[in-house]
Amino acid sequence: MADPTNYHIVVIGGGGTGAALAYDLAQRGYRATLLERGELTSGTTGRHHGQLHSGARYAAGDRSIARECMEETRVLMRIAPEAIEYNSGLFVALTAEDEAFAETFVESCAEAGIPTERLSAEACLRLEPGLNPAIRCGVRVPDGTLDAWRLPLHFFAAARGHGALIRNFAPVVGIELDRTGVRAVRMRDLRSKREEEIGCDLVINAAGAWAGQVAGLAGVSLPLTPAPGSMLAVRKRLTNLVVSRLHPAGDGDILVPQRGLSIIGSTQWQTDDPDDVVPSDEEVEFLRESAVAMVPGFAEAPYQAAWAAVRPLAGASVDVEAGRALSRDFVTIDHGKNDGVGGLVSLIGGKATTLRAMAEQAVDVVGGLLDVSRECRTAEYVLPSHRAYYRNHATEPERSA
Amino acid sequence: MSERNRTVAVYRNREVGFQEFTVPENERTTVLDALEYIRARIDPDLMYRHSCHHGSCGTCGCAVDGKFVLSCLTRLGDLEGDVVRVEPLPTMDHIGDLAVDPTKFFEEFPEGLTYLRPSEVNAKAERPEDVAEYTRFENCIECGLCVSTCPVTADFTGPAALAAIDREIEKHPEREDEMLDLADGKRGAAACERALNCSRVCPTGVYPAKHIAFLNRKLGKRRAAEKE
Ligand SMILES: Cc1cc2nc3c(=O)[nH]c(=O)nc-3n(C[C@H](O)[C@H](O)[C@H](O)COP(=O)(O)OP(=O)(O)OC[C@H]3O[C@@H](n4cnc5c(N)ncnc54)[C@H](O)[C@@H]3O)c2cc1C
Ligand code: SF4
Ligand code: FES
């Protein structure tokens, strides 16, 4: 068995996935360096909808993804409770079709281990008086609201506490190979405007919708289609619970309350350039109408912002409907086995909610490749606060979760 | 949606000063959208901080036409003048272009402050049995705009951290003594000059000046009680 301290692993991408990877690697004893081209979580992670997914939304489509969400929800509530408004969620039926879906919905949740509570329209309105009074019934589930920036910052703080080096404004511009595989990465330090070569034993590509570009630097083809989705926020908190439409996952069907805001999302389209994503007038109008249908007060609340975040869809030419089913899962790809480029692993997809589990799986794969047998222990400790990332991060003692 | 072009002058460094860029603009385009456009299409080296794009993370603060704002909530259409000037926040360490290092800002926050608070929404509504209390995150998104606009030049804990300390007392009265110790002393609440700039600039309605006044009142009461 090999000693992890002998290995230097470079993580490319400072979103939630990279944050969880850096922490997991450092906690298992690897030397870890994370490189992010801009500010931390300036890709998809900071901009997502902010829902802590119990998995209920995915249960009818895929039980195992739903089960994973539920498990990770429980873990995050233990290790990062201050990054979560945990007020539960309500799926509401607006049409007879929605109402008919309730049975399937509740059964699928049960199969995925997600507790539900069926509620009459009156009971729903007693919990959330702002709901459309015409709703037919509802189902309550253990959803919540995440702080999209502060949750990953908890992981970044823990990573630094364990000795990982986190570098922002550090785009990777090249991956150097030798006969066996990856030997180093080349990074452009935007602070000094100089290029640096960083030697390493293995690279984990966690560049999300940009992962195809990063793999390309090593000559590996990883066909991903950037699929942006838009959100609209208004300046009024209308509910305490996350409110979703009781129907198979679709567009504009989740209203997430956060601080003093209400945020409706999302949509999905496809593009070639993950850096060119701006919501259209039509989307903003569609989102507003979708929100109003569930919570009428949304119509009068003042506009705060409309923006988009980008999913990486596997396969270059998948259509949108197939894409929706595909995009929820995550994969760890060993490019040594797949493409003959050793020392390169990609971790793509998933959800902000499952960041920890994604990292666990990928670092297990890395352990297999490097012959290191260290168990993942990231579910066992309470993470340091988000502020600790910028403070005396090394001094906060570890507390069991 | 009508599109037109706008000139944005972005601070780069001491040698270059401001550099002008032309960006497309519609009714919703924000200063942050403009920066994103510049990085994607014109200069991939441009450094600026951003994450959520909707006023929740607090990373994107900067000075736009001399005012301290969140770039993600500032629409070009609401700004007068042909050229929009964007500069980094002056009170944090400058690391390049518009990007600053917020370490000093965060160091003022004592360890162990909570970030969740009870939700004030639908206070009279029924609550499920398994939800002990409806909660939400604090209003303060830790953007540092208040610190940038504060005229106090003496060494000072600053409005954001003091407001957070007072919020902690409001949520957890049992921590009052411990919190007041942190707000006491020359660089604490007493250093406030009551300019109220912080309350005016805050994008999320924290009203730090009000909390500093509350702290001074609580400190005064404690001192009076100690004398008795
Ligand atoms: C519209 C939408 C809504 C969503 N809502 C939710 C939700 O409510 N709840 C939930 O749990 N999940 C949600 N998700 C999913 C979630 O946002 C993602 O699964 C998660 O953020 C992915 O994180 P990541 O770290 O893999 O990718 P990213 O956050 O995109 O991180 C990749 C990083 O790599 C960086 N990078 C790119 N190229 C380079 C380079 N050359 N060198 C260095 N760095 C580089 C990028 O700047 C970026 O920061 C949503 C997704 C979308 C699209
Ligand atoms: S008090 Fe307001 S201005 Fe100051 S850091 Fe918090 S949110 Fe920003
Ligand atoms: S980008 Fe998060 S507050 Fe502006």
Side-chain angles (χ1 to χ4, degrees), chain B residues 61-209:
Chain B
C62 53
V64 175
D65 290 345
K67 283 206 185 105
F68 300 118
V69 294
L70 299 176
S71 69
C72 69
L73 298 186
T74 305
R75 286 188 269 181
L76 295 180
D78 294 335
L79 302 168
E80 282 161 24
D82 295 334
V83 180
V84 175
R85 277 168 78 90
V86 194
E87 295 163 81
L89 290 183
T91 44
M92 301 193 202
D93 292 328
H94 188 231
I95 62 175
D97 301 332
L98 300 172
V100 293
D101 177 351
T103 298
K104 268 196 210 146
F105 171 79
F106 279 103
E107 273 171 350
E108 294 296 349
F109 288 78
E111 240 171 77
L113 291 184
T114 53
Y115 197 61
L116 284 169
R117 61 184 252 181
S119 165
E120 70 284 18
V121 173
N122 299 337
K124 291 201 196 92
E126 210 172 89
R127 193 166 28 77
E129 266 170 34
D130 51 288
V131 180
E133 175 183 44
Y134 285 137
T135 59
R136 70 172 189 85
F137 304 124
E138 282 290 346
N139 275 342
C140 178
I141 55 171
E142 303 162 328
C143 62
L145 299 185
C146 55
V147 175
S148 296
T149 190
C150 176
V152 173
T153 48
D155 183 33
F156 183 29
T157 305
L162 287 171
I165 289 169
D166 190 53
R167 286 289 305 135
E168 195 67 23
I169 299 175
E170 291 179 347
K171 288 186 288 186
H172 300 284
E174 72 280 7
R175 299 190 72 183
E176 173 155 343
D177 253 343
E178 171 201 351
M179 289 296 128
L180 286 183
D181 288 346
L182 296 166
D184 208 352
K186 248 172 65 186
R187 64 187 308 284
C192 171
E193 292 169 6
R194 296 177 192 80
L196 309 189
N197 292 7
C198 55
S199 289
R200 277 189 288 267
V201 84
C202 177
T204 57
V206 173
Y207 301 103

Side-chain angles (χ1 to χ4, degrees), chain A residues 39 82 140 188 240 387, chain B residues 45 49 115 119 130 142:
Chain A
E39 178 54 290
E82 284 276 295
R140 202 166 62 85
R188 181 167 164 76
N240 286 309
R387 295 186 191 112
Chain B
D45 275 3
R49 302 182 67 221
Y115 197 61
S119 165
D130 51 288
E142 303 162 328

